[in-house]
Amino acid sequence: MKKRNLYLKTISVEEALEKYKKVLETVIEVKWERIPVTESLNRVTRSAVYAKYCSPLFNSAAMDGITVVTQRTKGASEVRPVELTEGEDYQVVDTGDPVRPPYDGVIMAEDLLETGKEGQVRIVEAAAPWQHIRPIGEDIVAGEMILPGHHKIRAIDVGVLLSAGITEIEVAVQPSVAIFPTGTEIIEPGETPVEGSIIESNSRMFENLAREQGARAKRFPVIPDDYEKIRRAVKEAAQKYDLVIINAGSSAGTEDYTVHVLRELGEVVVHGVAIKPGKPVILAVVDDCPVIGLPGYPVSAYIGFENFVTPVLSMLGDFTCRKNPVVDAVISKRLVSSLKHREYIRVKVGKVGEKLVAAPLARGAGAAMSMVRADGFCVIPQNSEGVEASETVSVELYRDIQEIENTLVVIGSHDLILDVMADMMPEVSRGMYLSSTHVGSMGGLMALKRREAHIAPVHLLDEDTGVYNQSYLKRIFKEPMALIRGVGRVQGLMVKKGNPMGICGIEDLKRCRYVNRQRGAGTRILLDYLLKKEQISPEEISGYDCEATTHMAVAAQVASGGADAGMGVFSAAKAMGLDFLPVGDESYDFALYQEDLELPLVKCFLQILKSERFHEKLRELGGYSWEEAGQVVRIDSRSMK
């Protein structure tokens, strides 16, 4: 029986990093090199750099005109102009020309009057000593410190160094990083995947993260789960590179060999950190070279890199770790967390009124797209059980705050058209963005009620009237509300191509595996209505409690064989190549407060809804109608009594 590598203990991020740094301080030595200043951008200075020359190198004219002896211009006025003769009283100069004694001032060309005589000019205002002259050393004085040591060189620094006569500079050598993806199930991008295959991508993320930190990174081909091959690769790399990263194989699987290899070759300082996601991190040293094992799940891998690889690179490259801005935001959803870990929650962030709102995204360690969609991380500290909805939390931002403040926050029901609108938003109005978080129609209305969203997409059927959405706004809100008409769309059952189960309607769900939408989703409310109509109990549906948060997630489950059927919109079925059995038409609209109709972000949103380009996209997706798109229905307080 293969041995599992079980964790005996995990320690906090701070303790793990402090412990590792203490070991590395005895083995890491920063390397230095002399390079041309023109190639020094983002490199780190070894010591203070001093100017070789003054800048300017001489007293120079700051304007085009004439240089004069200012004493001879005294008394000049409109009523008593002074005439000056070239060669005696002045010399013609251009900007940057030397100004030599006895001349001690410059008069701009536009302040000179012609006398009609060659070599003579008239002035009507006296010149002050050193007027329009850049004195020697005005900017830089020879011997002056230009840059301190341990300073990351910026573009402006390069220009100043050259102006001061510095053409070469001593800087920290860029750390070299070897990156090894591992796993027998891993295939290279471009290869055709089969069941059980995982397309390797983490190493390319590491490669570019390392380059962003100024390192030279080399990604090696995938190593299968073979102890000897992993051992040989690590041993060779530790002798040639400043840092080695091994991806995957750090957890408790029977073929997770990384920690055993590192124990054989060197010292494992830490294995297992109280962080979620990202627990199975390995911090080791082999032949005085730091070696870090990172988990295979993309989000875990990223968090591990940021928390441990980046600080080690800063030690090797002699720079200070960059720090992202941290802001206070209101969390839009209750989050439960384990006391055992520090947990990183990916969030979308937007500004609604005067407050920043953070909407949580998928929490799974493998949810790589949540990293792409995220604006930052909400960090729940270790020993905390979580946070309640509307509680203020700290969010570390990865997106510019100005972009966030110009983002339309959309929380509610999911539809593919939201991605289309988000893509169009900055094109229609430069500098404006749309972010959408999918929590279902009722979840969106609750976020709207808490003033944590600008707009809530909804498709809620009133079983009594058969009318969508309006009655829910009347029941939930006291304030004057508005409903922006969106699209008509077809809801139906998505089944595999060819409908192998022979599903014809709601009744047939009793004999198949179903994938449902989350509680509060309009699609789920519609299903419950149809089940009630057919007198079918939810307990009779296998998979009724299996939930997905988007139409595309439902379609993907059906396409992959994880379920035989799921309810969703036609466009999702079409996108995943599924057959579609219509069960009814519905209205997918957008709820908001009337007062927000005048917001520039909302006006841009309305413009997109009414645009022909958007309608053309709907034609491509299929299953939509848009005759009323962009029309505004006002629901004021009088209609709620």
Side-chain angles (χ1 to χ4, degrees):
M1 180 178 177
K2 293 182 179 179
K3 182 181 177 182
R4 290 193 180 274
N5 180 39
L6 300 178
Y7 303 98
L8 298 179
K9 182 184 177 184
T10 58
I11 61 176
S12 70
V13 174
E14 291 80 8
E15 185 183 351
L17 191 56
E18 183 180 354
K19 192 175 180 181
Y20 196 39
K21 279 185 171 181
K22 192 172 182 180
V23 173
L24 294 184
E25 284 169 359
T26 65
V27 298
I28 283 181
E29 182 179 352
V30 179
K31 303 169 187 174
W32 305 95
E33 63 180 341
R34 183 167 289 277
I35 64 171
V37 165
T38 52
E39 299 173 10
S40 67
L41 183 65
N42 291 327
R43 303 294 291 276
V44 178
T45 59
R46 179 172 190 175
S47 55
V49 183
Y50 296 88
K52 185 177 181 181
Y53 304 124
C54 290
S55 178
L57 288 165
F58 45 82
N59 297 331
S60 62
M63 300 286 178
D64 297 334
I66 61 173
T67 181
V68 298
V69 179
T70 56
Q71 184 68 28
R72 298 177 189 173
T73 68
K74 283 188 175 180
S77 67
E78 293 280 354
V79 295
R80 295 186 61 185
V82 171
E83 290 189 359
L84 302 174
T85 302
E86 186 175 5
E88 296 179 16
D89 303 312
Y90 75 87
Q91 286 186 342
V92 176
V93 289
D94 293 324
T95 300
D97 285 349
V99 177
R100 302 184 181 91
Y103 303 108
D104 63 345
V106 171
I107 300 175
M108 294 188 295
E110 50 264 44
D111 292 337
L112 303 175
L113 302 174
E114 298 292 338
T115 65
K117 298 177 184 178
E118 187 175 350
Q120 281 194 336
V121 294
R122 182 180 293 124
I123 59 172
V124 294
E125 184 179 352
W130 295 97
Q131 172 181 292
H132 301 316
I133 290 177
R134 293 190 67 206
I136 183 172
E138 178 189 55
D139 186 17
I140 303 169
V141 177
E144 175 185 7
M145 187 180 80
I146 304 171
L147 298 178
H150 315 288
H151 170 82
K152 183 171 281 192
I153 298 172
R154 304 163 298 174
I156 187 64
D157 298 332
V158 172
V160 170
L161 287 165
L162 295 173
S163 296
I166 309 299
T167 57
E168 288 190 343
I169 190 166
E170 195 170 13
V171 296
V173 171
Q174 292 175 294
S176 59
V177 183
I179 301 167
F180 293 101
T182 69
T184 304
E185 75 281 15
I186 301 299
I187 63 172
E188 295 284 6
E191 293 184 39
T192 302
V194 297
E195 186 176 8
S197 298
I198 299 174
I199 299 174
E200 205 289 310
S201 60
N202 284 345
S203 64
R204 297 303 184 185
M205 175 176 68
F206 299 151
E207 188 177 36
N208 286 287
L209 285 170
R211 287 172 180 169
E212 284 182 349
Q213 298 287 356
R216 293 178 290 111
K218 181 174 180 181
R219 183 263 193 191
F220 287 83
V222 175
I223 304 175
D225 291 318
D226 183 299
Y227 187 95
E228 184 55 36
K229 288 181 179 178
I230 295 172
R231 191 190 72 82
R232 187 164 55 247
V234 172
K235 185 173 179 59
E236 291 177 2
Q239 295 169 357
K240 297 177 182 177
Y241 291 84
D242 298 316
L243 172 64
V244 177
I245 298 173
I246 310 171
N247 187 217
S250 63
S251 193
T254 57
E255 294 185 344
D256 288 335
Y257 297 130
T258 302
V259 73
H260 303 298
V261 166
L262 296 179
R263 282 179 179 143
E264 178 188 339
L265 295 176
E267 177 190 2
V268 173
V269 181
V270 172
H271 184 207
V273 180
I275 190 172
K276 184 179 179 180
K279 176 182 172 183
V281 168
I282 304 170
L283 307 178
V285 177
V286 174
D287 293 336
D288 291 344
C289 174
V291 181
I292 298 179
L294 295 176
Y297 281 125
V299 181
S300 302
Y302 176 83
I303 291 172
F305 190 103
E306 288 288 278
N307 278 283
F308 300 106
V309 177
T310 294
V312 173
L313 286 176
S314 76
M315 293 177 71
L316 290 165
D318 193 45
F319 63 85
T320 302
C321 292
R322 68 170 188 264
K323 289 191 178 296
N324 294 309
V326 176
V327 298
D328 287 337
V330 172
I331 199 76
S332 67
K333 181 181 178 183
R334 182 172 184 257
L335 296 174
V336 178
S337 185
S338 167
L339 293 169
K340 298 179 181 178
H341 307 101
R342 172 192 290 181
E343 185 165 7
Y344 286 73
I345 311 293
R346 284 81 77 194
V347 292
K348 292 291 293 179
V349 184
K351 190 171 185 180
V352 181
E354 294 303 312
K355 64 184 177 184
L356 291 174
V357 178
L361 296 170
R363 295 172 74 171
M369 269 307 297
S370 68
M371 294 289 297
V372 175
R373 295 191 180 104
D375 299 320
F377 280 109
C378 165
V379 182
I380 300 179
Q382 191 175 356
N383 299 318
S384 170
E385 293 182 340
V387 293
E388 297 296 330
S390 298
E391 190 174 329
T392 298
V393 296
S394 293
V395 175
E396 183 180 345
L397 292 179
Y398 293 115
R399 186 169 162 226
D400 188 271
I401 188 67
Q402 288 185 321
E403 287 187 16
I404 286 171
E405 290 178 347
N406 285 302
T407 295
L408 185 70
V409 180
V410 179
I411 299 179
S413 176
H414 169 259
D415 194 281
L416 276 68
I417 69 170
L418 293 175
D419 293 333
V420 173
M421 298 185 80
D423 183 52
M424 293 177 66
M425 195 96 167
E427 293 182 11
V428 171
S429 187
R430 187 174 295 277
M432 289 189 180
Y433 306 91
L434 183 153
S435 77
S436 61
T437 307
H438 317 307
V439 298
S441 296
M442 289 302 298
L445 291 180
M446 292 302 101
L448 195 62
K449 187 174 179 63
R450 296 191 302 266
R451 300 277 184 166
E452 293 171 0
H454 295 114
I455 288 176
V458 291
H459 61 112
L460 295 167
L461 174 66
D462 187 321
E463 296 182 16
D464 297 327
T465 65
V467 176
Y468 273 86
N469 304 321
Q470 294 189 40
S471 64
Y472 289 86
L473 296 189
K474 293 177 181 180
R475 285 203 303 269
I476 295 171
F477 297 90
K478 296 179 180 179
E479 302 87 348
M481 302 300 293
L483 198 65
I484 298 174
R485 292 296 190 197
V487 295
R489 62 184 191 180
V490 182
Q491 280 271 16
L493 295 174
M494 298 183 282
V495 298
K496 294 202 82 167
K497 200 73 175 174
N499 193 6
M501 296 289 291
I503 296 168
C504 297
I506 297 297
E507 175 71 25
D508 295 320
L509 297 183
K510 294 191 295 183
R511 59 179 180 82
C512 71
R513 295 170 302 144
Y514 186 76
V515 56
N516 208 351
R517 290 293 305 279
Q518 77 274 30
R519 289 175 178 82
T523 301
R524 182 161 174 156
I525 291 172
L526 175 60
L527 172 70
D528 290 343
Y529 168 72
L530 295 173
L531 291 177
K532 184 178 178 182
K533 190 176 176 180
E534 296 289 332
Q535 297 183 331
I536 299 173
S537 169
E539 286 76 19
E540 297 179 73
I541 309 296
S542 174
Y544 179 87
D545 293 324
C546 176
E547 298 180 351
T549 57
T550 68
H551 294 282
M552 288 300 291
V554 171
Q557 279 279 16
V558 175
S560 67
D564 300 316
M567 187 174 288
V569 294
F570 174 78
S571 56
K574 180 182 176 184
M576 294 300 293
L578 301 174
D579 280 355
F580 185 77
L581 309 172
V583 297
D585 298 328
E586 66 173 10
S587 298
Y588 182 78
D589 300 325
F590 305 97
L592 72 163
Y593 292 96
Q594 283 189 26
E595 63 189 47
D596 289 342
L597 286 168
E598 297 305 312
L599 292 175
L601 287 165
V602 173
K603 288 184 176 181
C604 181
F605 183 83
L606 279 165
Q607 184 181 344
I608 293 171
L609 271 176
K610 297 175 182 178
S611 69
E612 180 54 37
R613 186 175 168 214
F614 176 63
H615 300 163
E616 184 56 41
K617 289 284 187 181
L618 296 179
R619 290 188 191 95
E620 293 175 13
L621 291 171
Y624 294 102
S625 60
W626 53 88
E627 293 79 8
E628 298 181 344
Q631 292 182 19
V632 177
V633 178
R634 293 178 183 268
I635 305 173
D636 59 37
S637 56
R638 287 172 297 179
S639 68
M640 301 178 201
K641 294 179 181 178

